[in-house]
Amino acid sequence: MIIVMRQQVTPTEIQETVAVVESLGMKPHILHGVERTVVAAIGPERDGMKETFEQAPGVAEVLPILAPYKIASREVKREPTVVKAGSLTVGGGTIGIIAGPCSVENEDQILKAAHGVKAAGATALRGGAYKPRTSPYSFQGLKEEGLKLLAKAREATGLAIVTEVLATEDVGLVADYSDVLQIGARNMQNYRLLEAVGKTKRPVLLKRGPSATMEEFLLAAEYVLDGGNPNVMLCERGIRTFETHTRFTLPLATVPYLQAKTHLPIVVDPSHGTGHTYLVPSMCLASIAAGADGLIVEVHHDPAHAASDGYQTLNLQQFADVVVRCRKVAAAVDRKI
Ligand code: PEP
Ligand code: MN
């Protein structure tokens, strides 16, 4: 249920309302908006609860939350959530540009990528230290060594680090080195992992599972939010269809759809979404035109020799060119990079 507080509500009244929610066995989540504060009461509902909440101090009205996802829902929070992590801002009119290689390979490679994407206008550096690979014989990432190299790249450029955490037991380590925890598409429904990142203070970039519906995607985000972490970015990265001309099918209608359903910012990944370098620039532009709050793009100084995903990776010049064009599209839709 959504407990909408009166405009002049005091902190004491909010605390008293929270106590009423807890006394009825519900979990309270306080959401401070510009216009109003809301206490979302999450848990099994019983007869008479609505009336009890209505009598709590400072309460203006009590409404049901109709969506199956609660804290993620626009019904609970009308204003868009803006996620900030060091140099990266995503949402509220600012488009975050996360760029870098699929995987961290060595110091020279990650520093070249970091300096190159920064000069081109990226606002965060991506790079996988733990790689989820389809084959157990493919490069699995440098693991902690890769995290250390990412931290060096942050030191050298000031760019926030976005990197994937594959397993629950690695969450603490990856959070120590990075600024944003990426949950990969394969792990979107790894609920223990979602709970674990929900307990950290690091913002989370949650990628859509290739066969996940929008409802499943938003419920996965709900796990992180319910764990106490409000800083979740949703990432459309393409889905599995019958089509083979692209690696995945990138459905950009999900951007305005999600914006209607949730206050969380939406990032698009045109690299995995298409699987071909030559398709990436157009889909970057299209994503921004569709209203995306951020992009995550694979960039390498020498894509032909990348350890993973080189065939969908931009080189530094291609990336610099696309950022120039992205700025124009962003301006046309009243956003800035
Ligand atoms: C990646 O970002 O390199 C990655 C593995 O992405 P996804 O989880 O979307 O496949
Ligand atoms: Mn990749």
Side-chain angles (χ1 to χ4, degrees):
M1 263 181 238
I2 310 171
I3 306 171
V4 184
M5 307 306 292
R6 288 199 202 103
Q7 262 177 354
Q8 310 303 333
V9 70
T10 66
T12 313
E13 286 172 329
I14 295 173
Q15 279 322 312
E16 283 170 10
T17 302
V18 162
V20 172
V21 171
E22 284 171 340
S23 73
L24 293 180
M26 305 276 273
K27 193 168 168 184
H29 286 270
I30 306 171
L31 295 109
H32 295 285
V34 178
E35 285 169 27
R36 56 178 199 167
T37 296
V38 156
V39 179
I42 312 294
E45 292 177 14
R46 291 196 304 274
D47 288 350
M49 252 179 188
K50 182 172 185 288
E51 291 71 20
T52 309
F53 291 149
E54 278 167 350
Q55 281 151 27
V59 172
E61 60 177 333
V62 180
L63 305 163
I65 309 173
L66 300 176
Y69 37 88
K70 308 293 176 191
I71 316 164
S73 166
R74 271 266 182 212
E75 295 171 60
V76 166
K77 183 167 178 270
R78 292 192 206 133
E79 297 98 15
T81 291
V82 181
V83 174
K84 293 186 180 172
S87 61
L88 179 68
T89 299
V90 178
T94 300
I95 296 171
I97 306 282
I98 306 163
C102 179
S103 9
V104 182
E105 298 164 15
N106 54 58
E107 183 166 341
D108 178 60
Q109 172 249 11
I110 197 65
L111 287 177
K112 275 189 176 130
H115 285 294
V117 300
K118 184 176 183 185
T123 52
L125 177 68
R126 63 148 291 151
Y130 294 85
K131 292 305 303 176
R133 304 306 301 278
T134 304
S135 165
Y137 308 120
S138 302
F139 176 55
Q140 302 288 314
L142 298 180
K143 307 196 167 79
E144 188 169 0
E145 184 53 30
L147 295 175
K148 288 183 178 158
L149 295 178
L150 285 166
K152 258 191 188 172
R154 174 178 47 209
E155 217 169 279
T157 59
L159 288 177
I161 301 299
V162 180
T163 196
E164 178 163 354
V165 55
L166 266 183
T168 308
E169 60 269 25
D170 299 331
V171 169
L173 183 70
V174 179
D176 281 347
Y177 285 100
S178 64
D179 300 287
V180 174
L181 299 171
Q182 177 175 324
I183 300 293
R186 294 159 182 83
N187 266 324
M188 189 207 83
Q189 287 176 308
N190 181 341
Y191 299 117
R192 297 295 83 79
L193 181 60
L194 297 176
E195 284 169 359
V197 299
K199 292 197 185 90
T200 73
K201 299 249 176 294
R202 293 273 177 256
V204 171
L205 181 77
L206 176 65
K207 294 189 117 189
R208 179 186 184 183
S211 64
T213 63
M214 286 290 101
E215 191 170 306
E216 288 164 341
F217 192 18
L218 286 163
L219 284 168
E222 188 81 8
Y223 267 88
V224 182
L225 299 169
D226 189 50
N229 188 339
N231 293 309
V232 179
M233 296 170 267
L234 300 169
C235 179
E236 174 57 81
R237 48 76 75 209
I239 53 173
R240 259 288 145 78
T241 70
F242 55 85
E243 188 52 81
T244 54
H245 81 289
T246 47
R247 184 180 178 193
F248 292 96
T249 296
L250 185 59
L252 290 183
T254 55
V255 176
Y257 177 85
L258 285 169
Q259 281 169 342
K261 298 291 174 188
T262 180
H263 50 87
L264 300 174
I266 325 294
V267 174
V268 178
D269 176 346
S271 307
H272 294 85
T274 63
H276 298 281
T277 299
Y278 79 101
L279 297 176
V280 172
S282 300
M283 297 315 283
C284 288
L285 304 179
S287 302
I288 293 176
D293 302 292
L295 295 176
I296 179 163
V297 187
E298 289 187 334
V299 182
H300 192 288
H301 71 281
D302 182 10
H305 294 100
S308 54
D309 287 356
Y311 47 81
Q312 64 189 31
T313 296
L314 302 181
N315 65 30
L316 292 169
Q317 188 57 54
Q318 288 167 327
F319 176 66
D321 291 345
V322 79
V323 174
V324 170
R325 298 169 70 205
C326 282
R327 287 191 200 283
K328 292 184 194 164
V329 178
V333 293
D334 299 324
R335 304 285 184 94
K336 64 173 192 303
I337 291 175

